[in-house]
Amino acid sequence: MSEYIAQDEVSKEILNSARLLQAVNVNALITGSMGVGKKALAKFILPHSEIFEAKSLQQDIIDDVLNMQNDAIIIDKIHEITNIDLLLNWLDINSIRIIAISNNDNLNKKLKEIFSINLEIPNLERRELDTKGLIKKFSKEASIILDMEVISSNKLITNISKNTHSLRKSIYFSYLFETIGEEEILMFQERYLSEHLEGENSYKDLLYLFEVPLLKAATKKYKSQVQVAKHLGLNRITLRKKLEIHKELL
């Protein structure tokens, strides 16, 4: 059974609703951004049910290759269904219960009406305790898979811009980073740069790949712009200009 981390109050309320859905035979819609845990929650509700991609399910219904009745299924990306009447008719004739997943709740009105319960999962930026739990989970997972000792939390890079998708990736990168040195870093940079060299202003266009992490690291370490400028060997006017240029990435 998939694990749905629920340590923040909002997540606990969602989990309570999910437990209710385990006990009652109604359709439900789970919405939220990519990586917030929609599929994990759906599998918590229906641990033994098959997950169908919406487009594939629609084609299977058209091709009449499905043989199921009085069953329950999970439909991922239900907003991609284009033939609503086809789906609704199939569900009704075969008495199929669904737990549906969508990145948005901007669904066809007919489709919306079949859901008795709607659960919206917030992004990780609003779920501090859940994020801590996920960091611990992914760190343990990475240490086992990569056969490494668990590294301290202050060495972990945590990126929640795409919720669990980016968080897991950043945790694994943290472990890999422990095994690489300057030579490997230069090698990675060279490969990336060689694949992105184009046009006549490549130096100017790609310079941010060096400047942004340097400015981030210096700002985090030295705090004030006066100290950052001093330790980077820049005058304050130049520093301010660079901070302004890269403000969207800092």
Side-chain angles (χ1 to χ4, degrees):
M1 182 174 65
S2 296
E3 180 185 9
Y4 178 75
I5 300 292
Q7 297 180 13
D8 285 285
E9 287 304 315
V10 63
S11 298
K12 289 178 182 178
E13 291 177 9
I14 291 172
L15 194 60
N16 286 336
S17 297
R19 290 193 178 101
L20 173 64
L21 286 167
Q22 289 177 329
V24 296
N25 187 28
V26 298
N27 298 323
L29 174 66
I30 303 172
T31 60
S33 302
M34 177 179 65
V36 294
K38 299 186 297 297
K39 196 172 290 186
L41 186 64
K43 288 299 291 180
F44 176 83
I45 298 167
L46 297 177
H48 306 297
S49 294
E50 188 172 353
I51 299 177
F52 290 87
E53 293 287 333
K55 286 184 177 179
S56 297
L57 175 63
Q58 180 171 283
Q59 190 58 52
D60 287 346
I61 295 172
I62 292 171
D63 295 339
D64 195 23
V65 297
L66 297 171
N67 183 22
M68 58 176 63
Q69 287 185 331
N70 301 308
D71 209 342
I73 63 173
I74 297 168
I75 304 179
D76 193 15
K77 301 182 181 70
I78 196 167
H79 54 276
E80 294 183 355
I81 291 285
T82 56
N83 193 332
I84 305 298
D85 290 332
L86 174 76
L87 174 67
L88 296 182
N89 186 55
W90 179 77
L91 295 174
D92 183 55
I93 290 174
N94 296 287
S95 299
I96 304 294
R97 178 201 179 188
I98 65 169
I99 301 297
I101 300 170
S102 177
N103 289 341
N104 61 73
D105 60 359
N106 186 27
L107 302 180
N108 176 279
K109 185 179 178 182
K110 275 188 182 180
L111 190 56
K112 273 188 173 183
E113 289 175 350
I114 72 170
F115 299 113
S116 301
I117 296 178
N118 294 343
L119 300 176
E120 182 179 0
I121 306 179
N123 289 338
L124 288 184
E125 63 185 15
R126 293 173 51 196
R127 297 157 53 196
E128 182 179 353
L129 297 179
D130 290 353
T131 301
K132 289 179 180 179
L134 286 164
I135 289 171
K136 185 176 180 180
K137 174 188 174 182
F138 294 152
S139 181
K140 183 178 179 181
E141 178 185 296
S143 72
I144 294 171
I145 291 176
L146 298 174
D147 193 23
M148 295 174 61
E149 293 291 327
V150 174
I151 64 177
S152 61
S153 58
N154 63 341
K155 289 186 175 182
L156 293 175
I157 301 167
T158 56
N159 176 9
I160 60 172
S161 61
K162 294 182 180 178
N163 298 298
T164 58
H165 291 184
S166 58
L167 181 58
R168 176 186 270 114
K169 187 176 181 180
S170 65
I171 296 296
Y172 272 75
F173 181 81
S174 301
Y175 275 79
L176 291 173
F177 189 76
E178 290 294 298
T179 68
I180 65 176
E182 184 176 297
E183 184 176 343
E184 288 81 12
I185 293 172
L186 291 173
M187 180 182 66
F188 294 147
Q189 282 185 315
E190 179 184 351
R191 177 170 176 176
Y192 182 87
L193 292 171
S194 67
E195 293 176 355
H196 291 79
L197 285 172
E198 54 185 35
E200 299 180 352
N201 294 304
S202 292
Y203 181 87
K204 182 180 178 181
D205 293 341
L206 296 171
L207 188 59
Y208 77 95
L209 292 169
F210 171 76
E211 290 189 333
V212 168
L214 183 61
L215 290 170
K216 277 187 172 181
T219 301
K220 184 179 292 186
K221 182 172 183 177
Y222 300 118
K223 312 302 181 186
S224 74
Q225 288 189 16
V226 174
Q227 291 300 314
V228 170
K230 174 184 176 182
H231 286 88
L232 293 184
L234 301 173
N235 64 56
R236 292 174 65 185
I237 294 176
T238 300
L239 175 62
R240 282 197 292 270
K241 285 181 179 179
K242 290 186 178 295
L243 292 174
E244 178 63 25
I245 291 171
H246 302 306
K247 63 181 180 182
E248 292 185 1
L249 297 173
L250 294 172

